[in-house]
Amino acid sequence: MIPDEYLQTFVVECKELLEQMEEALLIVEQAEQDPEIINAIFRAAHTIKGSAGMFGLDPVVEFTHAAESVLDRVRSGEVAMTSVLAALFIEAHDHLKELIGHVAEGSHPAEATDNHGKTLIARLEAYLGETPAEQPGNSGSSDNSGEMPVIQTANVEREHSDAVVGTDLWHLSLRFGPEVFRNGMDPFSFVRCLASLGSIEELVTVIDAIPAAAQMDPESCYLGFEISFSSDADKLAIDSLFNFVRSDCFIRILPPRSKASEYQRLIQELPEQEMRLGEILVKCGTLTPEELDNILRLQSQHGDAPQRPIGEVLVEQQMVSSPVVEAALAKQQQVKDNKKSEASLIRVDAEKLDELINLVGELIIAGAGTNLIARRAGMAELMESTATLSRLVEDVRDSALALRMVQIGGTFNRFTRVVRDVSKELGKDIDLVISGGDTELDKTVVEKIGDPLTHLVRNSMDHGIEAAELRLARGKSAKGTLRLNAYHDAGSIVIEVSDDGGGLNKEKILNKAIERGLVAEGANLSDKEIYNLIFEAGFSTADAVSNLSGRGVGMDVVKRNIQALRGSVDLDSIEGQGSTIRIRLPLTLAIIDGFMVGVGNASYVIPLDMVVECVELNAWASDEGDGQYLNLRGEVLPYRRLRDHFVIDGDMVQRENVVVVRYGEHKAGLVVDKLMGEFQTVIKPLGKLFSSEKSIGGFTILGSGEVALIVDVPGLMGQIEHEREAGEVVPFTRSGVVMH
Amino acid sequence: MANVKNKKQQPGRIAITGELTIYTALELKDQLLTGLAEAEELELDLSEVGEIDAAGLQLLVMIKQQAAVSGKALSFTGHSPVVLDLLDLSGLAGFFGDPLLIVRKPL
């Protein structure tokens, strides 16, 4: 029985491979005939088959084998990768995903799934039938399924000699000198040593050098080996095995994927006849017959030159090694580099990361406490040391948070498939354009943004982008475009879903809203307000309800999901030209750089990313009378006294300050008593009791052990706006906030 | 010490016992060639070979080739485990073409 954790790893790896495969297939479906991409698909299938075999998952192996065989034909150019075949592979991919899903759950696939798999295998095998008889060394045959596949060069007609011979195996050519036995060594002991470094896939003992009985000295060694060898060891390790016999032996080691010209040279160097050697190499599985033909043909082209004196050949034999070795080393380095980048990734349990972040949070709070004590004690040295400490803690915090940051590209790329499927379903031709995929955000946010984003994408495709005829009638190209974009802005990440469709119809939305009683008749709403009505519960303007969207559930759910992440969503639209939905999310949910302010005896933290500037009230900005707006260097700035908002008692201070905050396109001023500076803030969530309080986003613990509330700027702005519209001020009642 | 078993020696049949290695290769070569020269059909019994190395293997190749050159029939029989092991490793079983009892070692 295989331990669960290995199976877990297998499932995770398979899922990743399947994702890569899907991505590649979608590219191929767009008629891109890039051999690299076909190779990528093949490798994914092959790896899945290999690991599934290790776990004895026969249905997966059987199915993948069928797919792999066809892919192999595609790679060798025998079968063309048409979009029909690509679509079949996408189906195969889906089936495989389902099978892996069953493996993950430990359940057995339903009979229908099995039958579907059989149909798919039959359809795949239909592609195999059209091609000529099985070739030796072709991994499509089942007898050598244990071996690494031999990759055929895509085009047999290729003329240049620097084609890479596509095997994943090392090739070793060994010819032992006559003195080997007398020096007390047995060639087979080297073979056995070699087996300890990897696995010998195929070994051919070369006995051609054994002379006729009369001339044969039974104590001289005449043997040689041609070995194909699979190993992760590096060249040095393999090479060093032969240290003892190097002086009187001929040893050539070709790393995996060496150039054809290197094999050509190898054949030249070896004492046996070319044809005989070629056969041996084919038998070893190092070369395919086609590759051999190519090499031999090249050989004969050079063979026109007059026979060179043996001395020159010998000199060359010494010389020759340098370019080959160099090339081999370069290859080696590349393999090593690849391995390095592989090795530099580790899978970490997300819970462990959370634990780390928690600890860092505690560290920050403890650090703040130490800071405070140092300042009170007034010891300059201690203060200096705590300053260094807090700088380091800050760095630790940043790197801990960076660990949880992932690029949004992975999420975006999933939509390639969604767009493909949905556009087929809708009969629309839609292109997906992705940008800003390298924008990073917290993993927990990424996980939760998938569903709302899917909804928005489907919605845009269904309602946004018009049918081709209508598009043409409107003078647009028949092909619709959907864009996904992401970028960082003021401590948030902005994700945009935009389409070049029909845009929103203001009239229609407004009428619907009035009909549903969401808006009073005759209300004067701005364009933006009208557009954002579609995020209200129970709202849908779609004339026809499709199974994609239009059932009136969705947009409000999207909005709620995003708000749960402390984010916001809004919509821009130009009728006839398209619309853009903008989701704004905080970068992280755990720790922020805060700006601490004092009001009365209480401290509040404002997220530093949102703070634009601080000015003194009355000196630089003044209230011109209505108690709602300030004149900030000629700019109209809505403002609010936190003292009023949170109903704080205590004496007014003489000089009040204004903290100007920005969120998205809105700016506002918050009037506070004291500016206390930057403060690293570990966000602790408030209890359910405060969930209706929009202007508070959480709380944090100060170094002194006191509690400071974190101002939720977007929430506060929303509340201010809401109250202004309602024309009444609902003050925050502070009676419940007592925490120790 | 390995040697050709001379007792109950019958024409057309040679049994090699003990070592078939570099240490015995020299004398074995002569004995094998003599044995081959004397008979039209030769059977080499390898059932009691306790040790074999590359030199021994090379010797077997030599005698097989010599038999082919002189148009005589030569067969190896009763391969002992060490012989089988080396034949398996060298991939030469096909070259000798003798029926072998394949014993898969437990992995």
Side-chain angles (χ1 to χ4, degrees):
Chain A
M1 191 60 208
I2 297 149
D4 272 357
E5 66 248 41
Y6 293 132
L7 200 61
Q8 206 68 37
T9 315
F10 164 72
V11 169
V12 171
E13 269 177 15
C14 277
K15 282 187 176 157
E16 272 170 23
L17 284 167
L18 283 170
E19 261 172 43
Q20 289 168 11
M21 196 169 164
E22 183 177 34
E23 217 170 284
L25 281 169
L26 288 166
I27 297 170
V28 168
E29 207 189 14
Q30 300 302 312
E32 294 255 357
Q33 291 290 351
D34 188 344
E36 262 308 296
I37 293 175
I38 307 263
N39 265 338
I41 302 172
F42 180 85
R43 275 197 300 272
H46 183 74
T47 313
I48 293 174
K49 185 179 105 175
S51 354
M54 258 166 22
F55 287 96
L57 303 166
D58 292 337
V60 179
V61 175
E62 192 189 337
F63 184 76
T64 323
H65 180 72
E68 191 191 346
S69 306
V70 179
L71 280 167
D72 195 48
R73 292 293 167 97
V74 172
R75 214 166 43 165
S76 62
E78 290 167 54
V79 173
M81 183 55 110
T82 56
S83 57
V84 180
L85 184 55
L88 175 60
F89 270 117
I90 289 178
E91 267 186 68
H93 159 271
D94 291 350
H95 181 70
L96 206 50
K97 202 167 169 180
E98 199 179 332
L99 288 180
I100 301 289
H102 283 297
V103 171
E105 291 165 11
S107 57
H108 286 282
E111 205 173 314
T113 314
D114 275 346
N115 290 338
H116 183 56
K118 283 189 187 115
T119 332
L120 279 172
I121 291 179
R123 281 169 67 195
L124 284 168
E125 276 170 355
Y127 280 90
L128 289 177
E130 294 167 11
T131 50
E134 201 66 48
Q135 287 161 352
N138 193 323
S139 67
S141 57
S142 55
D143 54 351
N144 59 355
S145 55
E147 285 178 31
M148 297 297 282
V150 177
I151 300 166
Q152 301 180 352
T153 39
N155 189 348
V156 179
E157 298 307 314
R158 182 142 49 182
E159 281 297 334
H160 50 88
S161 62
D162 269 3
V164 167
V165 172
T167 172
D168 286 330
L169 302 176
W170 294 79
H171 187 86
L172 283 76
S173 291
L174 312 172
R175 295 291 179 277
F176 293 93
E179 295 303 309
V180 167
F181 291 155
R182 277 184 283 263
N183 290 340
M185 280 173 286
D186 181 0
F188 282 104
S189 62
F190 294 104
V191 174
R192 293 195 172 97
C193 263
L194 200 58
S196 68
L197 282 181
S199 100
I200 293 172
E201 297 293 337
E202 202 52 71
L203 179 141
V204 174
T205 306
V206 182
I207 50 176
D208 303 40
I210 300 179
Q215 289 91 45
M216 184 209 174
D217 174 0
E219 293 184 344
S220 289
C221 180
Y222 303 101
L223 294 176
F225 297 124
E226 295 290 326
I227 302 169
S228 71
F229 180 56
S230 101
S231 171
D232 291 335
D234 58 17
K235 180 147 179 174
L236 198 66
I238 296 175
D239 204 40
S240 62
L241 275 185
F242 303 101
N243 278 343
F244 294 118
V245 282
R246 193 171 310 283
S247 54
D248 56 354
C249 296
F250 173 93
I251 293 158
R252 290 292 176 270
I253 301 171
L254 291 184
R257 303 187 180 283
S258 292
K259 287 184 177 134
S261 55
E262 289 171 43
Y263 284 100
Q264 185 193 343
R265 200 167 289 154
L266 174 74
I267 291 175
Q268 259 169 3
E269 282 176 2
L270 290 171
E272 286 84 14
Q273 271 205 328
E274 284 171 11
M275 277 316 292
R276 165 80 178 125
L277 271 172
E279 280 164 23
I280 292 173
L281 289 179
V282 170
K283 197 170 162 200
C284 274
T286 303
L287 296 178
T288 61
E290 286 81 0
E291 285 166 345
L292 176 65
D293 280 353
N294 257 357
I295 290 171
L296 288 181
R297 198 148 42 85
L298 283 163
Q299 190 86 335
S300 63
Q301 281 165 10
H302 297 303
D304 293 343
Q307 203 70 45
R308 285 171 302 175
I310 187 81
E312 198 183 314
V313 174
L314 282 177
V315 169
E316 203 182 29
Q317 201 181 36
Q318 292 305 312
M319 246 176 53
V320 128
S321 55
S322 66
V324 175
V325 166
E326 253 169 54
L329 283 181
K331 199 79 210 171
Q332 190 65 22
Q333 191 58 42
Q334 198 186 328
V335 170
K336 227 187 250 171
D337 285 352
N338 284 347
K339 208 171 277 170
K340 232 182 257 165
S341 66
E342 266 170 38
S344 63
L345 287 178
I346 8 169
R347 282 177 207 288
V348 180
D349 195 344
E351 261 174 40
K352 285 188 186 165
L353 278 187
D354 289 345
E355 207 179 297
L356 176 67
I357 304 265
N358 257 340
L359 282 176
V360 172
E362 296 298 323
L363 191 61
I364 289 169
I365 292 170
T370 317
N371 246 338
L372 200 75
I373 295 167
R375 215 173 307 149
R376 269 197 212 135
M379 284 170 64
E381 276 178 346
L382 187 58
M383 274 159 73
E384 202 172 304
S385 122
T386 53
T388 318
L389 210 58
S390 39
R391 185 174 51 78
L392 286 172
V393 168
E394 217 168 292
D395 290 350
V396 170
R397 175 204 67 177
D398 286 346
S399 22
L401 285 179
L403 288 181
R404 288 163 53 104
M405 291 297 198
V406 291
Q407 295 193 346
I408 199 167
T411 312
F412 276 2
N413 287 337
R414 288 217 311 265
F415 287 101
T416 323
R417 179 68 192 274
V418 174
V419 169
R420 170 192 177 271
D421 288 354
V422 174
S423 50
K424 271 207 176 140
E425 202 173 316
L426 293 170
K428 295 177 183 174
D429 193 5
I430 298 170
D431 242 358
L432 177 70
V433 180
I434 290 172
S435 50
D438 54 355
T439 313
E440 290 190 324
L441 75 165
D442 200 285
K443 185 164 168 49
T444 44
V445 182
V446 166
E447 279 163 5
K448 287 176 183 155
I449 198 65
D451 286 348
L453 217 49
T454 311
H455 212 97
L456 292 178
V457 167
R458 283 168 165 262
N459 204 68
S460 284
M461 293 174 74
D462 197 8
H463 304 312
I465 294 174
E466 319 92 321
E469 308 85 59
L470 187 58
R471 289 184 64 86
L472 289 171
R474 285 183 179 172
K476 298 192 223 181
S477 69
K479 196 173 208 170
T481 308
L482 187 79
R483 278 173 214 281
L484 282 173
N485 185 26
Y487 54 92
H488 282 152
D489 178 55
S492 346
I493 180 171
V494 180
I495 302 168
E496 287 180 343
V497 182
S498 43
D499 62 67
D500 64 349
L504 293 178
N505 186 330
K506 270 185 285 182
E507 289 294 303
K508 219 161 149 187
I509 294 171
L510 199 55
N511 289 340
K512 191 95 166 193
I514 292 168
E515 183 189 308
R516 293 268 157 104
L518 295 170
V519 178
E521 209 160 334
N524 198 5
L525 294 175
S526 71
D527 287 0
K528 207 158 191 148
E529 281 167 326
I530 296 174
Y531 293 143
N532 286 319
L533 282 174
I534 66 163
F535 293 111
E536 296 300 322
F539 194 94
S540 172
T541 59
D543 300 325
V545 171
S546 70
N547 73 341
L548 289 173
S549 49
R551 278 168 297 190
V553 289
M555 289 307 246
D556 60 316
V557 178
V558 169
K559 189 177 184 183
R560 231 181 302 137
N561 282 346
I562 289 168
Q563 279 176 340
L565 296 170
R566 292 197 288 121
S568 66
V569 54
D570 71 324
L571 189 146
D572 263 339
S573 178
I574 300 171
E575 201 165 345
Q577 288 182 27
S579 37
T580 299
I581 295 165
R582 221 169 266 120
I583 300 171
R584 194 173 273 276
L585 291 166
L587 277 184
T588 169
L589 303 172
I591 304 173
I592 55 165
D593 270 321
F595 185 74
M596 195 152 64
V597 297
V599 182
N601 291 324
S603 306
Y604 291 89
V605 176
I606 301 167
L608 187 65
D609 296 318
M610 295 178 180
V611 175
V612 182
E613 60 178 331
C614 301
V615 294
E616 201 184 314
L617 186 69
N618 299 328
W620 293 97
S622 53
D623 184 351
E624 306 207 321
D626 62 355
Q628 291 200 353
Y629 296 99
L630 290 177
N631 177 358
L632 177 71
R633 296 182 296 262
E635 191 186 333
V636 177
L637 186 74
Y639 84 104
R640 165 66 54 103
R641 280 198 158 75
L642 283 190
R643 178 183 287 275
D644 295 346
H645 188 81
F646 294 122
V647 199
I648 295 166
D649 306 324
D651 299 330
M652 297 283 278
V653 289
Q654 281 216 314
R655 283 196 296 190
E656 287 175 306
N657 287 288
V658 183
V659 181
V660 180
V661 293
R662 184 175 78 93
Y663 181 70
E665 291 150 25
H666 303 281
K667 265 172 138 188
L670 301 176
V671 178
V672 300
D673 293 353
K674 265 185 299 185
L675 302 176
M676 293 154 81
E678 289 181 32
F679 178 75
Q680 284 190 67
T681 313
V682 182
I683 301 178
K684 304 262 177 190
L686 285 173
K688 273 200 186 113
L689 204 60
F690 306 101
S691 58
S692 62
E693 180 48 50
K694 297 278 192 298
S695 53
I696 299 291
F699 73 97
T700 187
I701 301 167
L702 302 179
S704 60
E706 281 174 67
V707 165
L709 296 174
I710 299 165
V711 178
D712 183 346
V713 172
L716 181 66
M717 285 179 175
Q719 202 174 355
I720 293 171
E721 222 155 282
H722 184 74
E723 284 164 12
R724 189 176 305 133
E725 277 161 20
E728 58 183 45
V729 175
V730 185
F732 173 68
T733 38
R734 203 167 162 262
S735 53
V737 191
V738 182
M739 274 166 282
H740 286 291
Chain B
M1 190 63 196
N3 226 322
V4 171
K5 210 178 251 179
N6 286 315
K7 293 170 224 167
K8 64 173 183 174
Q9 179 90 5
Q10 56 199 76
R13 184 185 152 89
I14 297 177
I16 300 173
T17 55
E19 282 184 51
L20 177 53
T21 65
I22 179 69
Y23 300 110
T24 57
L26 202 57
E27 48 179 314
L28 274 175
K29 182 196 169 191
D30 291 340
Q31 287 169 356
L32 291 177
L33 285 176
T34 318
L36 186 68
E38 284 170 358
E40 279 307 302
E41 250 177 65
L42 184 63
E43 182 190 336
L44 270 184
D45 183 353
L46 303 176
S47 62
E48 283 175 60
V49 173
E51 203 177 318
I52 183 169
D53 68 0
L57 184 74
Q58 193 174 282
L59 209 58
L60 295 183
V61 172
M62 182 275 295
I63 192 77
K64 183 83 188 172
Q65 282 174 337
Q66 180 61 29
V69 168
S70 49
K72 294 183 177 177
L74 172 72
S75 60
F76 300 102
T77 55
H79 305 69
S80 70
V82 288
V83 178
L84 282 177
D85 188 42
L86 195 68
L87 282 186
D88 189 33
L89 186 65
S90 65
L92 284 177
F95 167 80
F96 290 115
D98 296 300
L100 295 179
L101 179 67
I102 303 290
V103 186
R104 268 272 159 241
K105 275 182 291 182
L107 290 173

